[in-house]
Amino acid sequence: MPPVSAVRLAAFPLVVTLSEYPDEPIKIRAKHKVAGMLLLDRHQVKSLDPSWNVPGAYILLDRPDAEGRWGAYVGKATNPGLRNRVLQQLKVRGHWYRVLVIRYESNDDEKLNSAEAGWLEGEIYYCLDSTENVDLHNRNRPQDATLSIEDEASLRDYMIPIESTLHLIGHALHHRDPHAPDDGGPVVKRIKPAPAPEPPRSFVSVLGLGTNPPIEAIMEKGAMVRAGKRQPRATPKPPGSPV
């Protein structure tokens, strides 16, 4: 990814247009910038104005869960345009409840070309993929490497309004620390099993040859020695005595 320019970090306000009719889509535009956006609920897509049948990018949004995690699908439209493409997604994908459509809007006589729409699609994907709380439904990472550095720099002006809009509508982005190590999931510590106990070894002691005696036997033997006692020995019988 090319280095981010200082212009990319500049802040500017969003202009949000709400209709007096609650069933109308929400229009969002970055003041003094080129990004025009429209936020539609799923049931509003069929009434999307034909003027939105132009090249651009779109984000299909899943509802955030209780922990603020949400799913998304990033796509682009070229010919015939955004309206037709999002209408197709009504039939193909059932996971989303809202869609954010994005187009060029500073001049009515201009619009994004196919390469610009493809680059914007890939940059939005990269933005969402670099966060902790977004699950992308895309099978492959979209990208378009045919633009010049100058054209890419102008398209970067779209990204802050898009991120700000997602935050505004309850789809905040929690970016990962690029310097933090990738743990790849929960940390699992491997514990070595305890070694099997060794069998008792034979030894020679005052008690004779045998295995390790219990402590009680050792204490009893010691007490008898201190008291001057000896265990009785068997008296040998004289030869010829009866058994």
Side-chain angles (χ1 to χ4, degrees):
M1 178 181 176
V4 178
S5 65
V7 177
R8 169 71 174 81
L9 302 177
F12 42 83
L14 293 175
V15 179
V16 181
T17 304
L18 299 174
S19 172
E20 60 180 316
Y21 303 103
D23 205 40
E24 292 291 325
I26 300 173
K27 185 177 181 180
I28 305 165
R29 184 174 179 179
K31 192 174 183 181
H32 307 308
K33 295 294 176 181
V34 296
M37 290 172 281
L38 202 65
L39 178 68
L40 303 103
D41 291 335
R42 188 182 178 97
H43 72 275
Q44 296 173 331
V45 170
K46 292 183 179 179
S47 61
L48 181 58
D49 192 273
S51 64
W52 280 87
N53 233 2
V54 294
Y58 62 92
I59 311 172
L60 305 179
L61 300 167
D62 297 355
R63 292 185 184 276
D65 62 19
E67 298 178 353
R69 192 170 190 88
W70 47 280
Y73 177 87
V74 183
K76 72 172 181 179
T78 52
N79 186 21
L82 285 166
R83 184 179 187 276
N84 281 31
R85 185 68 182 125
V86 176
L87 281 171
Q88 292 174 356
Q89 295 290 19
L90 278 176
K91 303 176 182 178
V92 176
R93 300 182 180 277
H95 60 82
W96 56 282
Y97 81 114
R98 273 180 165 180
V99 58
L100 182 67
V101 289
I102 305 132
R103 69 180 182 183
Y104 177 86
E105 202 169 278
S106 288
N107 189 327
D108 292 338
D109 297 330
E110 296 183 25
K111 58 186 178 181
L112 296 175
N113 59 41
S114 177
E116 290 169 334
W119 184 93
L120 187 58
E121 175 194 28
E123 190 69 7
I124 295 172
Y125 177 95
Y126 176 85
C127 175
L128 300 186
D129 189 46
S130 63
T131 65
E132 299 176 337
N133 58 317
V134 179
D135 296 317
L136 285 164
H137 297 292
N138 297 69
R139 292 184 180 180
N140 301 305
R141 175 181 176 177
Q143 56 185 344
D144 192 308
T146 62
L147 290 182
S148 66
I149 296 178
E150 291 76 15
D151 290 336
E152 289 184 13
S154 64
L155 285 171
R156 291 186 188 282
D157 285 342
Y158 284 75
M159 295 311 300
I160 286 183
I162 292 171
E163 292 184 37
S164 299
T165 298
L166 291 172
H167 181 78
L168 176 68
I169 63 176
H171 290 263
L173 303 175
H174 305 305
H175 289 280
R176 301 187 187 98
D177 182 356
H179 303 293
D182 185 7
D183 58 7
V187 177
V188 177
K189 294 184 177 179
R190 298 186 179 275
I191 302 176
K192 294 183 179 180
E198 295 182 1
R201 293 177 295 180
S202 299
F203 68 102
V204 178
S205 69
V206 294
L207 298 180
L209 179 64
T211 57
N212 232 348
I215 187 64
E216 292 81 1
I218 297 175
M219 295 178 65
E220 181 182 356
K221 183 69 175 178
M224 293 177 64
V225 171
R226 287 193 298 272
K229 296 180 180 180
R230 295 291 185 270
Q231 290 182 350
R233 297 183 179 178
T235 303
K237 296 182 179 182
S241 59
V243 179

